[in-house]
Amino acid sequence: MNTMNGGGRLLVAPAGCLLAATPGLLIGRVQPVLPLLALGPLMAATFLGARRTLLVCCWTVLLALAAGLGSDAQLNAGFAVRWGALLVGCACGVYAARRHGRLRARLAEAREVARITQEAILRPVSRTLSGTQVSTRYHCAHPESSVGGDLYDLAVTPYGLRVLVGDARGHGLDALRTAADTLVGFRELASTAPDLTTLAKALDARLAPGLGPEDFVTAVLAEFGPGEVRLVNCGHPAPLRSGQRLELLEPRVPALPLGLCPDPQQYRVRLQPGDRLLLYTDGLTESRALDGTPFALLTECATALSEPTPDAALHALYERLLAHTGGPPTDDLALVLCQPTGVGAGAPVRV
């Protein structure tokens, strides 16, 4: 389809030039409006490369010569001015096309840098770590960007596999910087903090000095042990356990987000064979259909998370989200699905 679009665009400018030159070609007594033909190269410069724009310029000059001969143009000052305007328009078109080409190349390079940066900051995972099968997904709401304020990370520690999922307040570079600082802090502290409460407070102490008065990071920390998961939630959407039952694992005592001096409490949840734990950001819970209907988290997850593998489950969940919203999400979205190894997906869940 892109090839057809490119071919159609290539024909637009020459066709416009031919239309402008038609009076001079068909009616010998009508002097062609030569500067009008310069619109062809200028149009070509907006969506074609420098070489194709140069071809359009050559076509324009040929049409101008043919139209000028057909109208018995005389070599006078007015004719010279009109020809000069046409040639200047052609030269400007080629120059603009070169500039646009360089800008497109720089934009493509910037997007590639953003993609590599995303993979460095938010490392995609689909593997078994410390006895837990983990699959991750990250979807940025802005097509011109690959990273945002949502974040996740994993660390294999002496205390078990630890997982962080968070959401830095705001958008743009400030949110990205906060997310990057949070990830750096987690990677440095995850292996030394004796428990998740200590880890959360250490992260808060590290982040708070660099945050503005209205900045914060919602976060949930998970630590997997034999037959259980330990959780600390700092103002983040509650993790969802999928298995024989589907339920949100709300903290007993709510805590403030990181950066606001939270005092979180760790809580433990037993994991039965076949259980999965979904950690996510509010891009999932706050998505809306075109008519404003919210995404039915429990109902949709009941179906999607029954897929045989974590990768397939996350793919199915995202497809169901797109079907509900009718297009790409309007907010960034991070998903992390964890399942103890050695057990398959559970039976269809009861919501």
Side-chain angles (χ1 to χ4, degrees), residues 196-255:
L196 295 184
T197 301
T198 303
L199 176 56
K201 292 182 177 180
L203 276 174
D204 173 74
R206 183 185 183 98
L207 292 172
L211 296 178
E214 297 183 356
D215 295 335
F216 56 82
V217 180
T218 67
V220 61
L221 293 161
E223 177 183 280
F224 288 87
E228 70 172 11
V229 61
R230 297 172 281 274
L231 298 166
V232 161
N233 194 324
C234 296
H236 198 78
L240 187 149
R241 179 175 61 179
S242 170
Q244 294 299 319
R245 288 186 58 84
L246 192 72
E247 60 179 327
L248 293 172
L249 305 179
E250 299 280 0
R252 296 183 181 88
V253 180

Side-chain angles (χ1 to χ4, degrees), residues 48-56 93-95 97-99 101 104:
L48 298 178
R51 292 183 179 180
R52 289 184 173 182
T53 301
L54 182 59
L55 291 176
V56 173
V94 174
Y95 175 76
R98 290 187 62 186
R99 291 281 298 174
R104 284 192 291 267

Side-chain angles (χ1 to χ4, degrees), residues 237-313:
L240 187 149
R241 179 175 61 179
S242 170
Q244 294 299 319
R245 288 186 58 84
L246 192 72
E247 60 179 327
L248 293 172
L249 305 179
E250 299 280 0
R252 296 183 181 88
V253 180
L256 295 173
L258 300 177
L260 301 179
C261 299
D263 185 22
Q265 296 183 13
Q266 178 175 287
Y267 57 106
R268 312 166 86 97
V269 177
R270 297 294 299 175
L271 294 179
Q272 303 298 327
D275 281 357
R276 289 172 170 173
L277 187 70
L278 176 68
L279 300 99
Y280 53 92
T281 54
D282 61 8
L284 187 64
T285 54
E286 296 184 0
S287 294
R288 296 288 187 273
L290 296 178
D291 61 359
T293 304
F295 185 69
L297 179 66
L298 294 180
T299 302
E300 299 290 355
C301 285
T303 301
L305 297 187
S306 63
E307 292 289 332
T309 67
D311 279 343

